Amino acid sequence: MFNFLDITKNNIIAFKAEGEITKADYDSLTPLLNKTEREYDALRLYVEIGDIKGITARAFLEDVAIYFKHIRHIEKIAVIGDSQAEKVWAKLADPFTKADVKYYPLPEKDIAAEWIVQ
């Protein structure tokens, strides 16, 4: 599930992903991405990774579709997590986007929040 965080405002979309990720999560995220892109052009994403139990196939396809649709408009991505997998994901995403992608360990989430708004 995606839980939107308080720092979601203007061109920043911030959420915590945890539990089972389904297409319904993307159904709530997509309109916000579209609206923000129309209003600000440059998007900034703050993605805090919690205890993810799994992702459905439909959700994975939505994730890929959203990524390719909005890639040109993403300016910054902060990935916040507590495992090596999130750190690897952030490094793997970097060559495929013009966005500045940074990984932060969970105890540094306040630093990540400061960076995403700068």
Side-chain angles (χ1 to χ4, degrees):
M1 110 180 38
F2 293 161
N3 294 310
F4 292 96
L5 305 174
D6 290 343
I7 65 169
T8 297
K9 63 181 176 187
N10 300 327
N11 68 332
I12 299 167
I13 299 173
F15 62 94
K16 182 174 184 175
E18 59 188 346
E20 180 78 15
I21 308 300
T22 68
K23 184 179 179 305
D25 295 309
Y26 288 94
D27 290 343
S28 66
L29 177 62
T30 300
L32 183 57
L33 283 167
N34 291 337
K35 178 182 180 287
T36 304
E37 186 176 294
R38 278 192 313 273
E39 291 179 10
Y40 295 95
D41 194 43
L43 303 171
R44 294 180 179 194
L45 302 177
Y46 173 102
V47 183
E48 191 174 316
I49 309 295
D51 185 19
I52 294 180
K53 303 293 184 199
I55 182 168
T56 66
R58 295 274 315 221
F60 179 76
L61 292 175
E62 285 294 315
D63 186 73
V64 172
I66 284 173
Y67 180 77
F68 282 110
K69 180 178 180 185
H70 297 282
I71 189 70
R72 296 183 329 270
H73 299 277
I74 300 173
E75 177 179 63
K76 285 183 171 183
I77 304 171
V79 179
I80 300 84
D82 208 18
S83 78
Q84 197 64 18
E86 287 98 23
K87 187 175 186 177
V88 170
W89 179 88
K91 286 185 181 192
L92 289 174
D94 196 40
F96 298 102
T97 179
K98 68 177 184 171
D100 192 1
V101 182
K102 291 190 179 183
Y103 169 80
Y104 294 87
L106 196 55
E108 295 179 12
K109 68 182 183 179
D110 291 339
I111 295 168
E114 287 177 26
W115 176 77
I116 205 72
V117 299
Q118 295 177 347

Coordinates of all heavy atoms in Angstrom, one line a residue, residues 34-74:
N34 N -0.1 12.9 -12.6 CA -0.5 13.7 -13.8 C -0.8 15.1 -13.5 O -0.4 16.0 -14.2 CB -1.8 13.0 -14.4 CG -1.5 11.6 -15.0 OD1 -0.4 11.3 -15.4 ND2 -2.5 10.8 -15.1
K35 N -1.5 15.3 -12.4 CA -1.9 16.7 -12.0 C -0.6 17.5 -11.7 O -0.5 18.7 -12.1 CB -2.8 16.7 -10.7 CG -3.1 18.0 -10.2 CD -4.0 17.8 -8.9 CE -4.4 19.1 -8.3 NZ -3.4 19.8 -7.6
T36 N 0.3 16.9 -10.9 CA 1.5 17.6 -10.6 C 2.4 17.9 -11.8 O 2.9 19.0 -11.9 CB 2.4 16.8 -9.5 OG1 1.5 16.5 -8.4 CG2 3.6 17.5 -9.1
E37 N 2.5 17.0 -12.7 CA 3.2 17.2 -13.9 C 2.6 18.4 -14.8 O 3.3 19.2 -15.3 CB 3.2 15.9 -14.8 CG 4.1 16.0 -16.0 CD 4.2 14.7 -16.7 OE1 4.7 13.7 -16.1 OE2 3.7 14.6 -17.8
R38 N 1.3 18.4 -14.8 CA 0.6 19.5 -15.6 C 0.9 20.9 -14.9 O 1.1 21.9 -15.6 CB -0.9 19.3 -15.6 CG -1.3 18.3 -16.7 CD -2.9 18.4 -16.9 NE -3.6 18.3 -15.6 CZ -4.0 17.2 -15.0 NH1 -3.7 16.0 -15.5 NH2 -4.8 17.2 -13.9
E39 N 0.9 20.9 -13.6 CA 1.1 22.2 -12.9 C 2.5 22.6 -12.8 O 2.8 23.8 -12.8 CB 0.5 22.1 -11.5 CG -1.0 21.9 -11.5 CD -1.6 21.8 -10.1 OE1 -0.9 22.0 -9.1 OE2 -2.9 21.5 -10.0
Y40 N 3.5 21.7 -12.6 CA 4.8 22.1 -12.3 C 5.9 21.6 -13.3 O 7.0 22.0 -13.3 CB 5.2 21.6 -10.9 CG 4.4 22.2 -9.9 CD1 3.3 21.6 -9.4 CD2 4.8 23.4 -9.3 CE1 2.6 22.2 -8.4 CE2 4.1 24.0 -8.3 CZ 2.9 23.4 -7.8 OH 2.2 24.0 -6.9
D41 N 5.5 20.7 -14.2 CA 6.4 20.1 -15.2 C 7.5 19.3 -14.6 O 7.6 18.1 -14.9 CB 7.0 21.2 -16.1 CG 7.7 20.6 -17.3 OD1 7.1 19.7 -17.9 OD2 8.8 21.1 -17.7
A42 N 8.3 19.8 -13.6 CA 9.3 19.0 -13.0 C 8.8 18.3 -11.7 O 8.4 19.0 -10.8 CB 10.5 19.8 -12.7
L43 N 8.9 17.0 -11.7 CA 8.4 16.2 -10.5 C 9.6 15.9 -9.6 O 10.7 15.6 -10.1 CB 7.7 14.9 -10.9 CG 6.5 15.0 -11.9 CD1 6.2 13.6 -12.4 CD2 5.4 15.7 -11.2
R44 N 9.3 15.8 -8.3 CA 10.3 15.3 -7.4 C 9.6 14.2 -6.6 O 8.5 14.4 -6.0 CB 10.7 16.4 -6.4 CG 11.5 17.4 -7.2 CD 12.0 18.5 -6.2 NE 12.8 19.5 -7.0 CZ 13.5 20.4 -6.4 NH1 13.6 20.5 -5.1 NH2 14.2 21.2 -7.1
L45 N 10.2 13.0 -6.4 CA 9.7 11.9 -5.7 C 10.5 11.5 -4.5 O 11.7 11.4 -4.6 CB 9.6 10.7 -6.7 CG 8.8 10.8 -8.0 CD1 8.9 9.5 -8.8 CD2 7.4 11.1 -7.7
Y46 N 9.8 11.4 -3.4 CA 10.3 10.9 -2.1 C 9.6 9.6 -1.9 O 8.4 9.5 -1.7 CB 10.0 11.9 -1.0 CG 10.4 11.5 0.4 CD1 11.5 12.0 1.0 CD2 9.6 10.6 1.1 CE1 11.9 11.6 2.3 CE2 9.9 10.2 2.4 CZ 11.1 10.7 3.0 OH 11.4 10.3 4.2
V47 N 10.4 8.5 -2.0 CA 9.8 7.1 -1.8 C 10.5 6.4 -0.7 O 11.7 6.1 -0.7 CB 10.1 6.3 -3.1 CG1 9.4 4.9 -3.0 CG2 9.6 7.0 -4.4
E48 N 9.7 6.3 0.4 CA 10.2 5.5 1.6 C 9.7 4.1 1.5 O 8.5 3.8 1.4 CB 9.6 6.2 2.8 CG 10.2 5.7 4.1 CD 9.8 6.5 5.3 OE1 9.7 7.8 5.2 OE2 9.4 5.9 6.3
I49 N 10.7 3.2 1.5 CA 10.4 1.8 1.4 C 10.3 1.2 2.8 O 11.2 1.1 3.5 CB 11.5 1.0 0.6 CG1 11.8 1.7 -0.7 CG2 11.1 -0.4 0.4 CD1 10.7 1.8 -1.7
G50 N 9.1 0.7 3.1 CA 8.8 0.0 4.4 C 8.9 -1.5 4.2 O 9.7 -2.0 3.3
D51 N 8.2 -2.2 5.0 CA 8.2 -3.7 4.9 C 7.2 -4.1 3.8 O 6.0 -4.3 4.0 CB 7.7 -4.3 6.3 CG 7.8 -5.8 6.3 OD1 8.5 -6.4 5.5 OD2 7.2 -6.4 7.2
I52 N 7.7 -4.3 2.6 CA 6.9 -4.7 1.5 C 6.8 -6.3 1.5 O 7.8 -7.0 1.5 CB 7.5 -4.3 0.2 CG1 7.5 -2.7 0.1 CG2 6.8 -4.9 -1.0 CD1 8.0 -2.1 -1.1
K53 N 5.5 -6.7 1.5 CA 5.2 -8.1 1.5 C 5.2 -8.7 0.1 O 5.3 -9.9 -0.1 CB 3.9 -8.4 2.1 CG 3.8 -7.9 3.6 CD 4.7 -8.6 4.5 CE 4.4 -8.1 5.9 NZ 5.5 -8.4 6.8
G54 N 5.0 -7.9 -0.9 CA 4.9 -8.3 -2.3 C 4.3 -7.3 -3.2 O 3.7 -6.3 -2.7
I55 N 4.4 -7.6 -4.5 CA 3.8 -6.7 -5.5 C 3.1 -7.5 -6.5 O 3.6 -8.5 -7.0 CB 4.8 -5.7 -6.1 CG1 4.2 -4.8 -7.1 CG2 6.0 -6.5 -6.8 CD1 5.1 -3.7 -7.6
T56 N 1.8 -7.2 -6.8 CA 1.1 -8.0 -7.8 C 1.6 -7.7 -9.2 O 2.3 -6.7 -9.5 CB -0.4 -7.7 -7.8 OG1 -0.6 -6.3 -8.2 CG2 -1.0 -7.9 -6.4
A57 N 1.4 -8.6 -10.1 CA 1.8 -8.5 -11.5 C 1.2 -7.2 -12.1 O 2.0 -6.5 -12.8 CB 1.5 -9.7 -12.3
R58 N 0.0 -6.9 -11.9 CA -0.7 -5.7 -12.4 C 0.0 -4.5 -11.9 O 0.2 -3.5 -12.6 CB -2.2 -5.7 -12.1 CG -3.0 -6.8 -12.7 CD -3.5 -6.5 -14.1 NE -4.0 -5.1 -14.2 CZ -5.1 -4.8 -14.8 NH1 -5.7 -5.7 -15.5 NH2 -5.5 -3.5 -14.9
A59 N 0.3 -4.5 -10.6 CA 1.0 -3.4 -10.0 C 2.4 -3.2 -10.6 O 2.8 -2.0 -10.9 CB 1.1 -3.6 -8.5
F60 N 3.1 -4.2 -10.8 CA 4.4 -4.1 -11.4 C 4.3 -3.5 -12.8 O 5.1 -2.6 -13.2 CB 5.1 -5.5 -11.5 CG 6.4 -5.4 -12.2 CD1 7.5 -4.9 -11.5 CD2 6.6 -5.8 -13.5 CE1 8.8 -4.9 -12.1 CE2 7.9 -5.8 -14.1 CZ 8.9 -5.3 -13.4
L61 N 3.3 -3.9 -13.6 CA 3.2 -3.4 -14.9 C 2.8 -1.9 -14.9 O 3.3 -1.1 -15.7 CB 2.1 -4.1 -15.7 CG 2.4 -5.6 -16.1 CD1 1.2 -6.3 -16.7 CD2 3.6 -5.6 -17.0
E62 N 2.0 -1.5 -13.9 CA 1.6 -0.1 -13.7 C 2.9 0.7 -13.3 O 3.1 1.8 -13.8 CB 0.6 0.1 -12.6 CG -0.8 -0.3 -13.1 CD -1.4 0.6 -14.1 OE1 -1.3 1.8 -14.0 OE2 -1.9 0.0 -15.1
D63 N 3.7 0.2 -12.5 CA 4.9 0.8 -12.1 C 5.8 1.1 -13.3 O 6.3 2.3 -13.5 CB 5.7 -0.1 -11.1 CG 6.9 0.7 -10.5 OD1 6.7 1.6 -9.7 OD2 8.0 0.3 -10.9
V64 N 6.0 0.2 -14.1 CA 6.8 0.3 -15.3 C 6.2 1.4 -16.3 O 6.9 2.3 -16.8 CB 7.0 -1.0 -16.1 CG1 7.7 -0.8 -17.4 CG2 7.8 -2.0 -15.2
A65 N 4.9 1.3 -16.5 CA 4.2 2.2 -17.3 C 4.3 3.7 -16.8 O 4.6 4.6 -17.6 CB 2.7 1.8 -17.5
I66 N 4.1 3.8 -15.5 CA 4.2 5.2 -14.9 C 5.6 5.7 -15.1 O 5.8 6.9 -15.4 CB 3.8 5.2 -13.4 CG1 2.3 5.1 -13.3 CG2 4.3 6.4 -12.7 CD1 1.8 4.9 -11.9
Y67 N 6.6 4.9 -14.9 CA 8.0 5.3 -15.0 C 8.3 5.8 -16.4 O 8.8 6.9 -16.5 CB 8.9 4.1 -14.6 CG 10.4 4.4 -14.7 CD1 11.0 5.1 -13.7 CD2 11.1 4.0 -15.8 CE1 12.4 5.4 -13.8 CE2 12.5 4.3 -15.9 CZ 13.1 5.0 -14.9 OH 14.4 5.3 -14.9
F68 N 7.9 5.1 -17.4 CA 8.2 5.5 -18.8 C 7.3 6.7 -19.2 O 7.8 7.6 -19.9 CB 8.0 4.4 -19.8 CG 9.1 3.4 -19.7 CD1 9.0 2.1 -19.2 CD2 10.4 3.8 -20.2 CE1 10.0 1.3 -19.2 CE2 11.5 2.9 -20.2 CZ 11.3 1.7 -19.7
K69 N 6.1 6.9 -18.7 CA 5.3 8.0 -19.0 C 5.9 9.3 -18.4 O 5.8 10.4 -19.0 CB 3.9 7.8 -18.5 CG 3.0 9.0 -18.8 CD 1.6 8.7 -18.4 CE 0.7 9.9 -18.8 NZ -0.6 9.9 -18.3
H70 N 6.4 9.2 -17.2 CA 6.8 10.5 -16.5 C 8.3 10.7 -16.4 O 8.7 11.7 -15.8 CB 6.2 10.4 -15.0 CG 4.7 10.4 -15.0 ND1 4.0 11.5 -15.2 CD2 3.8 9.4 -14.9 CE1 2.7 11.2 -15.2 NE2 2.6 9.9 -15.0
I71 N 9.1 9.8 -17.0 CA 10.5 9.9 -16.8 C 11.1 11.2 -17.2 O 12.0 11.7 -16.6 CB 11.2 8.7 -17.6 CG1 12.7 8.6 -17.2 CG2 11.1 8.8 -19.1 CD1 13.0 8.1 -15.9
R72 N 10.6 11.8 -18.3 CA 11.2 13.1 -18.7 C 10.9 14.2 -17.7 O 11.6 15.3 -17.8 CB 10.6 13.5 -20.1 CG 10.9 12.5 -21.2 CD 10.3 13.0 -22.5 NE 9.1 13.8 -22.5 CZ 7.8 13.2 -22.5 NH1 7.7 11.9 -22.6 NH2 6.8 14.0 -22.5
H73 N 9.9 14.1 -16.9 CA 9.6 15.2 -16.0 C 10.1 15.0 -14.5 O 9.8 15.8 -13.7 CB 8.0 15.3 -16.0 CG 7.5 15.6 -17.3 ND1 7.5 16.9 -17.9 CD2 7.0 14.9 -18.3 CE1 7.0 16.9 -19.1 NE2 6.7 15.7 -19.4
I74 N 10.7 13.8 -14.3 CA 11.2 13.6 -12.9 C 12.6 14.2 -12.8 O 13.5 13.9 -13.5 CB 11.2 12.1 -12.6 CG1 9.8 11.5 -12.7 CG2 11.8 11.9 -11.2 CD1 9.8 10.0 -12.6

